[in-house]
Amino acid sequence: QSPCGPIIHGLEDVLIKSTSISDIDGEKGILWYRGYRIEDLARHSTYEEVAYLILYGKLPNKKELEDFTNRLKTYRDLNSATIEIIKNLSKAHPMFAIESAVAAEGAFDEDNLKLAEALKVGRYKAEEKELAYRVAEKLIAKMPTIVAYHYRFSRGLDIIRPRRDLSHAANFLYMMFGKDPDPLATKGIELYLILHADHEVPASTFTAHVVASTLSDMYSAVAAAVAALKGPLHGGANEMAVRGYLEIGDPSKAKEVVEAATKPGGPKLMGVGHRVYKAYDPRAKIFKEFSREYVTKFGDPKKIFAVASAIEQEILNHPYFQQRRLFPNVDFWSGIAFYYMGIPYEYFTPIFAVSRVVGWVAHILEYWENNRIFRPRACYVGPHDLQYIPIEQR
Ligand code: SDX
């Protein structure tokens, strides 16, 4: 409460627009993309098909999917200046490099610049729609390349150019590791990309809206969304969750770790809790089963699945978490298979961005249809009309 009225801390439950891209039932733990449940899409679909669904609002027929997939393949590589920037940031955490690379690529992409110029009249008009969708598709196609190129440079390796005979997921693994990926690893990446593709308006997507609402360019709005996703309370939780499991090291320590998180000011358990889900995150359920399948096949030598399972049991049976309706969220289980695939944990959030970029651009395109600049208020509680005192008298 404030002298001006109620402050909505963290904009909890504040509606910023209508959307038909995704819906979340937080009470029951259900997620839909354009009306399809994610369980069905995870079981039957591919990232390309889900990206088309999210971007264009319907499942594609064979020709639409083939044309879309081929367009993405032609957009995969990067401007040479962007590659230099990624190389110069090879020692930085990948999320810094991605933020900069997306902004840089947008500074060179002629479609992005043409669209930005058209928006300078202060309106997004119907004749810009085709150009805007092309820019959106380029961002979807280029994000995996940015992440993979940084991985190669960070290890002092040569970059591996994208191939056009591989799917989005398989090509990403190929650009990372330079060999045709194992089918289960490709299935894991495909699953990960499908399940992170959109999630209504979390902090990163909201950030994309705010930047896009000033009619700044689409690449800059996505670069800003990457900056928001980096935070440990949002996308960065998947990296911190696995780092936590590795540090804990043994399932018998789960109880004390969970207890510590219940103390006032104690560390938050990464991968636990959600602003909207007051039930088990449906994405986490799918990742739990996939990581179980993965460690069953390849083993759990670092006991990270075992530690995560022990923590989950402690949480589900602990009054602190039960009273606050805190459950595992998407980040609790998603990193385990990745870690065993040899993906360093600092690349978990970057891969989240590889997936979520379609949600970001789809929401920008949806918002531009009925654009209004975001400009909230703050309640001023300081003094007014103070007299200026010269420094000699202070
Ligand atoms: C993602 O929004 C999205 O949709 C995001 C996402 C997406 O797909 O885009 O789903 C992806 O970001 C998932 C969330 C990943 N982040 C984490 O796992 C970090 C740990 N989680 C918490 O920081 C927290 O739960 C948030 C950030 C996810 C939600 O924050 P809220 O809604 O502001 O909740 P809160 O901080 O007000 O917590 C309410 C209470 C507090 O206790 P009290 O002050 O009432 O005593 O629950 C406690 C919190 O201290 N709490 C936790 C906790 N999460 C909340 N206590 C211990 N460990 C936790 N993880």
Side-chain angles (χ1 to χ4, degrees):
Q1 197 57 17
S2 79
C4 321
I7 307 277
I8 316 293
H9 207 192
L11 292 183
E12 181 147 16
D13 292 337
V14 169
L15 302 171
I16 63 161
K17 69 169 185 176
S18 300
T19 184
S20 54
I21 297 173
S22 59
D23 190 21
I24 303 166
D25 180 327
E27 291 300 319
K28 297 197 192 95
I30 308 174
L31 171 59
W32 295 267
Y33 295 157
R34 300 281 190 188
Y36 295 88
R37 287 202 182 203
I38 50 152
E39 291 80 1
D40 290 341
L41 297 169
R43 191 170 302 118
H44 304 300
S45 193
T46 63
Y47 182 68
E48 287 91 336
E49 186 174 78
V50 166
Y52 186 98
L53 171 66
I54 287 173
L55 202 52
Y56 292 101
K58 69 179 186 71
L59 284 174
N61 61 35
K62 266 194 183 342
K63 175 151 179 20
E64 286 162 337
L65 182 60
E66 195 181 317
D67 293 347
F68 176 65
T69 303
N70 287 335
R71 289 198 301 275
L72 293 185
K73 289 178 176 178
T74 62
Y75 299 146
R76 280 178 176 167
D77 221 331
L78 303 173
N79 183 292
S80 54
T82 309
I83 296 172
E84 272 311 296
I85 287 168
I86 297 170
K87 187 172 188 174
N88 291 336
L89 288 166
S90 61
K91 294 287 171 276
H93 187 284
M95 286 302 277
F96 286 105
I98 295 162
E99 216 176 288
S100 306
V102 169
E105 186 66 11
F108 303 119
D109 182 287
E110 74 280 358
D111 288 323
N112 186 52
L113 298 175
K114 201 157 57 175
L115 179 58
E117 196 54 35
L119 293 177
K120 283 196 169 27
V121 299
R123 286 193 189 287
Y124 169 70
K125 301 183 299 301
E127 53 262 40
E128 274 107 42
K129 196 161 179 176
E130 190 189 340
L131 177 59
Y133 272 80
R134 186 155 64 244
V135 174
E137 290 183 354
K138 284 180 153 184
L139 274 155
I140 295 165
K142 294 175 187 297
M143 200 62 92
T145 313
I146 291 171
V147 174
Y149 282 7
H150 185 268
Y151 172 77
R152 301 295 293 182
F153 284 135
S154 71
R155 267 73 187 159
L157 302 168
D158 292 334
I159 57 173
I160 297 171
R161 297 287 176 169
R163 276 167 49 177
R164 293 195 181 185
D165 60 327
L166 293 175
S167 71
H168 200 78
N171 177 60
F172 171 64
L173 286 173
Y174 169 71
M175 292 191 293
M176 287 277 285
F177 302 119
K179 57 186 190 305
D180 281 19
D182 160 273
L184 189 57
T186 303
K187 178 189 169 192
I189 291 282
E190 194 88 64
L191 195 62
Y192 189 98
L193 295 180
I194 289 171
L195 292 175
H196 284 79
D198 193 54
H199 208 241
E200 199 214 62
V201 284
S204 54
T205 311
F206 177 55
T207 303
H209 279 89
V210 172
V211 173
S213 78
T214 71
L215 297 184
S216 181
D217 67 288
M218 195 183 286
Y219 274 75
S220 298
V222 168
V226 170
L229 188 72
K230 190 191 316 158
L233 295 188
H234 188 11
N238 57 14
E239 171 180 339
M240 297 313 293
V242 170
R243 279 172 57 176
Y245 305 147
L246 287 165
E247 278 157 31
I248 295 164
D250 191 294
S252 62
K253 292 193 195 151
K255 195 171 185 59
E256 69 189 76
V257 167
V258 170
E259 272 307 320
T262 65
K263 299 289 175 278
K268 295 230 161 115
L269 284 178
M270 291 293 127
V272 175
H274 200 276
R275 174 66 63 78
V276 180
Y277 288 125
K278 300 307 168 194
Y280 209 109
D281 187 326
R283 302 167 295 179
K285 286 181 186 165
I286 298 171
F287 280 123
K288 178 179 179 180
E289 288 326 304
F290 179 73
S291 39
R292 187 200 308 278
E293 179 188 349
Y294 202 88
V295 299
T296 305
K297 182 172 178 188
F298 295 107
D300 186 21
K302 296 279 182 91
K303 294 191 197 159
I304 44 181
F305 184 82
V307 168
S309 303
I311 289 175
E312 179 197 48
Q313 279 317 305
E314 290 298 326
I315 295 166
L316 296 178
N317 298 319
H318 198 297
Y320 172 94
F321 295 90
Q322 290 169 340
Q323 284 154 14
R324 293 167 179 77
R325 298 202 292 170
L326 301 172
F327 294 84
N329 62 48
V330 64
D331 296 309
F332 190 87
W333 297 103
S334 59
I336 295 172
F338 271 173
Y339 179 81
Y340 283 128
M341 280 181 212
I343 296 174
Y345 44 55
E346 65 269 23
Y347 287 86
F348 291 1
T349 309
I351 299 173
F352 191 147
V354 166
S355 170
R356 186 57 57 86
V357 60
V358 65
W360 293 332
V361 296
H363 278 283
I364 289 169
L365 291 163
E366 183 178 65
Y367 194 71
W368 274 349
E369 289 296 321
N370 186 19
N371 189 61
R372 187 136 198 263
I373 192 169
F374 279 94
R375 204 285 184 211
R377 295 298 305 276
C379 179
Y380 180 72
V381 291
H384 291 100
D385 304 330
L386 299 177
Q387 193 187 353
Y388 183 80
I389 311 293
I391 194 161
E392 296 75 25
Q393 296 166 31
R394 286 181 221 156

